[in-house]
């Protein structure tokens, strides 16, 4: 049957079965994922644990990664580490030691079945026999994931890229956690690095290539009062500002011309596009001389 799509006539649709190359087909192989929750005894112990796991993550092979979450569960503040081996290869002895994997919960699953990163020590989604729907969890206050975007939950998010986490940077994170504005708020360090560094920034639109961690600062709360909103937003902004001297760039999602003034927007745009910004501005002048598209990422000022 012929279909009229966007003014064009679709007369034939051909599906071709292509045999995947060996390396790509490995992505379908089971992943090996661990979850380690480290208790928060005091600030110095938390700094030590944080530096140990982030340093080990930096030395992982390309097919292994380790995201780190700083948050709160029913037992108090904690650091959670989620080491993942994409092709199911076991972690080396040094990684097992630094991540404390010998006694950690472990699950083998496909990549798309990796459970939501929960901080709840009683969460069964990291048990081998459990299969959970990670995208539709109810909002809770016991450290389970799924709060952001849930009905009744307000959120304010800041993001930046870091390459090296020094002792000073670790203390900044720990201090922020000590001042957590709401028990649902958390900090996620998404582990990157690896192959991303091999592409020169001027060869693609995404300029920031020198980074090991994408830091996502998530202020989450349920109290609808303006006072609570101000407290939570200030907490996220304060941490983001404290990391400014250590960051290597920003992701475009952090540009917010509605909440922030022109001076800060210029800084955010320059930090996001870096050496690609002059080229992008030339394209802007060529294809949008009247500055029609300016809502999310203003390039004309």
């Amino acid at each position: 049957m012929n279909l009229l799509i966007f003014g064009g006539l679709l007369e034939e649709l051909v599906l071709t079965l292509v045999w995947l190359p060996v390396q790509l087909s490995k992505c379908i192989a089971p992943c090996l994922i661990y979850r380690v929750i480290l208790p928060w005894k005091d600030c110095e112990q938390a700094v030590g644990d944080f530096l140990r796991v982030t340093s080990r993550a930096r030395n992982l092979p390309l097919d292994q990664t380790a995201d780190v979450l700083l948050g709160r569960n029913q037992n108090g503040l904690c650091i959670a580490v989620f080491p993942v081996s994409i092709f199911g290869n076991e972690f080396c002895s040094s990684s097992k030691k630094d991540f404390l994997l010998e006694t950690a919960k472990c699950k083998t699953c496909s990549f798309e079945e990796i459970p939501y990163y929960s901080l709840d020590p009683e969460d069964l989604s990291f048990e081998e026999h459990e299969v959970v729907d990670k995208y539709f969890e109810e909002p809770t206050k016991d450290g389970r994931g799924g709060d952001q975007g849930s009905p009744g939950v307000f959120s304010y998010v800041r993001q930046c890229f870091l390459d090296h986490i020094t002792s000073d940077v670790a203390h900044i994170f720990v201090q922020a956690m000590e001042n957590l504005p709401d028990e649902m708020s958390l900090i996620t360090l998404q582990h990157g690095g690896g192959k991303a560094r091999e592409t020169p920034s001027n060869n693609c639109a995404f300029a920031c290539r020198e980074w090991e961690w994408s830091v996502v600062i998530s202020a989450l709360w349920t109290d609808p009062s303006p006072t609570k909103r101000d407290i939570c937003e200030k907490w996220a902004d304060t941490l983001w500002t404290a990391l400014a001297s250590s960051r290597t760039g920003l992701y475009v999602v952090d540009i917010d011309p509605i909440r922030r003034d022109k001076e800060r927007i210029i800084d955010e745009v320059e930090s996001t596009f870096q050496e690609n910004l002059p080229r992008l501005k030339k394209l802007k002048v060529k294809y949008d001389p009247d500055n029609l598209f300016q809502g999310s990422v203003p390039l004309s000022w």
Side-chain angles (χ1 to χ4, degrees):
M1 180 177 65
N2 294 342
L3 297 176
L4 186 64
I5 301 179
F6 299 116
L9 187 63
L10 179 64
E11 296 182 342
E12 183 179 9
L13 181 64
V14 179
L15 299 179
T16 304
L17 181 63
V18 179
W19 182 257
L20 295 175
V22 174
Q23 191 67 20
L24 183 58
S25 66
K26 284 185 178 181
C27 295
I28 307 174
C31 298
L32 182 63
I33 178 169
Y34 288 86
R35 181 185 65 170
V36 181
I37 299 180
L38 306 174
W40 193 290
K41 298 178 182 178
D42 55 61
C43 290
E44 288 307 311
Q45 172 264 336
V47 167
D49 285 344
F50 187 59
L51 287 172
R52 186 186 73 251
V53 297
T54 53
S55 297
R56 170 50 54 188
R58 190 179 184 89
N59 294 308
L60 289 174
L62 294 181
D63 63 331
Q64 295 179 344
T65 184
D67 290 351
V68 179
L69 269 67
L70 306 177
R72 179 186 291 274
N73 60 19
Q74 55 266 54
N75 297 324
L77 294 175
C78 62
I79 300 174
V81 189
F82 299 87
V84 177
S85 182
I86 302 299
F87 300 147
N89 299 321
E90 190 53 83
F91 287 85
C92 71
S93 57
S94 296
S95 295
K96 287 184 176 181
K97 178 181 178 181
D98 288 341
F99 291 144
L100 305 180
L101 299 186
E102 297 296 347
T103 58
K105 291 186 177 181
C106 175
K107 185 180 184 70
T108 302
C109 61
S110 63
F111 185 81
E112 64 271 15
E113 293 174 340
I114 291 178
Y116 194 98
Y117 285 173
S118 167
L119 301 180
D120 182 3
E122 304 302 324
D123 186 357
L124 298 178
S125 61
F126 281 83
E127 302 291 346
E128 282 289 0
H129 63 279
E130 290 291 330
V131 178
V132 298
D133 188 340
K134 62 179 180 178
Y135 297 107
F136 297 98
E137 297 189 57
E138 292 297 322
T140 66
K141 294 187 178 182
D142 60 0
R144 290 183 60 87
D147 289 330
Q148 186 177 355
S150 300
V153 177
F154 301 96
S155 65
Y156 178 69
V157 180
R158 300 302 307 266
Q159 186 276 346
C160 67
F161 291 111
L162 298 180
D163 196 9
H164 296 280
I165 294 181
T166 63
S167 177
D168 289 343
V169 172
H171 277 88
I172 290 173
F173 279 111
V174 169
Q175 185 61 47
M177 291 304 299
E178 289 285 331
N179 297 321
L180 203 66
D182 191 278
E183 56 189 10
M184 289 194 301
S185 298
L186 71 158
I187 306 168
T188 305
L189 286 86
Q190 300 170 329
H191 190 204
K195 299 289 286 186
R197 300 176 185 272
E198 297 181 6
T199 302
S201 59
N202 59 1
N203 281 6
C204 54
F206 184 65
C208 186
R209 294 283 161 176
E210 293 298 320
W211 62 278
E212 192 75 15
W213 304 98
S214 173
V215 179
V216 182
I217 307 164
S218 303
L220 307 173
W221 69 97
T222 56
D223 180 354
S225 69
T227 300
K228 184 66 173 180
R229 180 189 186 93
D230 290 343
I231 291 173
C232 290
E233 290 188 357
K234 183 178 180 180
W235 172 79
D237 287 336
T238 299
L239 174 55
W240 186 89
T241 302
L243 295 172
S245 61
S246 301
R247 73 189 185 206
T248 59
L250 305 176
Y251 191 54
V252 67
V253 72
D254 199 72
I255 300 173
D256 190 345
I258 297 176
R259 282 190 170 96
R260 294 185 275 281
D261 57 35
K262 179 180 177 180
E263 183 177 344
R264 288 193 290 174
I265 288 300
I266 292 175
D267 175 64
E268 291 173 8
V269 170
E270 291 176 345
S271 297
T272 299
F273 297 106
Q274 301 180 9
E275 62 187 270
N276 290 344
L277 184 57
R279 186 175 56 173
L280 188 59
K281 283 189 172 183
K282 289 181 180 179
L283 292 173
K284 172 74 171 179
V285 171
K286 180 178 180 180
Y287 292 104
D288 185 24
D290 297 326
N291 197 27
L292 176 63
F293 301 101
Q294 57 176 299
S296 299
V297 185
L299 295 174
S300 300
W301 48 74

